[in-house]
Amino acid sequence: MMRAIYLIPAAVVVLVLILSSVFIVDERKKALILQFGQVMQVKETPGLGFKVPLLQDVVLYEDRILGLQTQPIEVTLLSDRRLVVDAFARWRIVNLVEFRQSVGTAGEERAQQLLGNILSQAIPEVLGNSTQEQVLSQDRAGLMNQILAIAKREGQALGVDVIDVRLTRTDLPEQNLEATFARMRAERDREAADEKARGGEAAQRVRAAADRTVVELTSDARRQAEVIRGEADAERNRILAEAFARDPEFFSFIRSLTAYEVSLKGANSSIVMQPDSEFFNYLRSERGAAADAAAGAAAPSP
């Protein structure tokens, strides 16, 4: 009975020691076994691991690819233009011993700060020797490769591998945005004014050509109308002359009737002339002036 009392606590202690000597490494992690702060073992494969209880500790680190978003960095380009640049990097721990020595107990959080400092120095170094056209054109890929090469070189001392670096934003500083927008608006207003001036000039040319065409067409139409009117008058006079030549008496009769019609128009028409005027020849007799003339020739002289 007394032996059982001592055996149970001993078994519990042994079990605790056994359990504390076993650890599990996930497939997403890597492990360092430390003894009094010194690295005793590196375990990079997933599965069970063993350590000395109470003397050794296990520190786990990420085995996955991690991301880093830098703070906005203001860069002065080769053309003295200023840009605010953001970058995104992907990195991974490749040497646990060097990583532990570089970052200490802070782990990945300290590594993020150190890599951010590396990128904050590499980006101005590369972009400071470039123009705005290179940063905003297809040459941008070459610039990012240069930044990546610097980050890889500096990251090796930390035990990490920088896999990729991308520039996510390249904007003007806030104090320059309004001036840039104002310059762009002024440029667009100038282009609009030029287009309006060219349009007004073209419209004036079209209107002038149309007015000239109207004048030419009107003058030609008037000339043709005068020619036709003159030809019509000539034709009318010719017809009248032929008609007079065929029957002078009838022509005189028609002319007299026309004269009566014109002179006696209106309700209160008055004519003052001698009664024996030739104007009334066709009103005094049915035969008109010819009959009167014939009668006067047949009558004996007084």
Side-chain angles (χ1 to χ4, degrees):
M1 186 66 181
M2 295 297 296
R3 294 178 59 186
I5 294 175
Y6 291 106
L7 288 176
I8 292 175
V12 172
V13 171
V14 171
L15 179 61
V16 170
L17 292 176
I18 293 174
L19 292 178
S20 62
S21 66
V22 177
F23 63 92
I24 299 175
V25 178
D26 189 83
E27 62 270 11
R28 297 168 294 181
K29 301 288 185 177
K30 296 179 181 180
L32 280 181
I33 294 91
L34 303 177
Q35 182 173 335
F36 303 113
Q38 300 296 322
V39 177
M40 304 302 297
Q41 182 183 352
V42 177
K43 183 172 179 54
E44 297 183 347
T45 58
L48 289 176
F50 299 93
K51 64 183 181 65
V52 177
L54 303 178
L55 295 179
Q56 295 180 344
D57 296 321
V58 177
V59 181
L60 299 177
Y61 295 99
E62 285 286 346
D63 192 29
R64 295 174 294 181
I65 296 175
L66 304 176
L68 168 64
Q69 180 68 50
T70 66
Q71 296 295 324
I73 305 170
E74 190 168 326
V75 179
T76 302
L77 303 180
L78 190 62
S79 56
D80 291 333
R81 298 295 300 274
R82 301 182 68 84
L83 291 178
V84 177
V85 180
D86 286 346
F88 179 81
R90 293 185 296 171
W91 62 281
R92 185 177 185 180
I93 302 172
V94 293
N95 192 319
L96 284 179
V97 177
E98 291 184 356
F99 185 79
R100 175 72 181 188
Q101 294 173 351
S102 300
V103 302
T105 60
E108 290 90 347
E109 183 178 354
R110 176 59 179 169
Q112 294 272 35
Q113 297 176 357
L114 295 176
L115 288 175
N117 295 335
I118 292 173
L119 291 176
S120 298
Q121 295 175 2
I123 291 174
E125 179 181 347
V126 173
L127 298 186
N129 295 320
S130 307
T131 63
Q132 183 176 359
E133 289 73 17
Q134 291 175 325
V135 175
L136 302 179
S137 67
Q138 295 180 352
D139 295 338
R140 181 172 178 170
L143 299 177
M144 289 188 293
N145 290 333
Q146 296 180 32
I147 298 172
L148 175 61
I150 297 174
K152 272 183 173 294
R153 184 177 66 249
E154 299 293 334
Q156 289 177 355
L158 301 178
V160 301
D161 178 30
V162 181
I163 300 172
D164 191 17
V165 175
R166 298 287 173 179
L167 298 178
T168 56
R169 186 185 71 164
T170 52
D171 293 336
L172 292 172
E174 291 294 334
Q175 60 270 22
N176 295 344
L177 283 177
E178 187 60 32
T180 301
F181 291 155
R183 185 170 63 253
M184 293 173 63
R185 284 192 293 266
E187 183 66 20
R188 296 299 178 270
D189 291 341
R190 185 188 62 79
E191 293 178 358
D194 291 342
E195 291 294 333
K196 289 180 180 179
R198 285 193 290 269
E201 182 181 355
Q204 188 63 31
R205 287 198 301 268
V206 171
R207 282 193 290 267
D211 293 340
R212 183 175 62 253
T213 302
V214 169
V215 172
E216 292 175 353
L217 292 177
T218 303
S219 300
D220 186 65
R222 288 175 179 173
R223 181 185 60 80
Q224 294 181 11
E226 292 296 333
V227 171
I228 294 173
R229 190 176 293 109
E231 293 175 352
D233 291 341
E235 183 66 15
R236 183 194 61 180
N237 294 333
R238 185 185 64 78
I239 294 173
L240 290 177
E242 290 181 357
F244 182 76
R246 290 181 182 179
D247 193 345
E249 182 181 353
F250 180 74
F251 184 77
S252 297
F253 176 69
I254 293 299
R255 292 292 298 273
S256 297
L257 291 182
T258 302
Y260 294 157
E261 181 182 3
V262 173
S263 60
L264 297 177
K265 277 184 178 180
N268 297 319
S269 298
S270 300
I271 299 176
V272 179
M273 60 177 59
Q274 296 179 358
D276 57 351
S277 173
E278 292 182 359
F279 184 76
F280 297 109
N281 285 343
Y282 286 96
L283 292 178
R284 289 196 300 267
S285 66
E286 296 180 357
R287 296 181 60 190
D292 291 344
S301 56

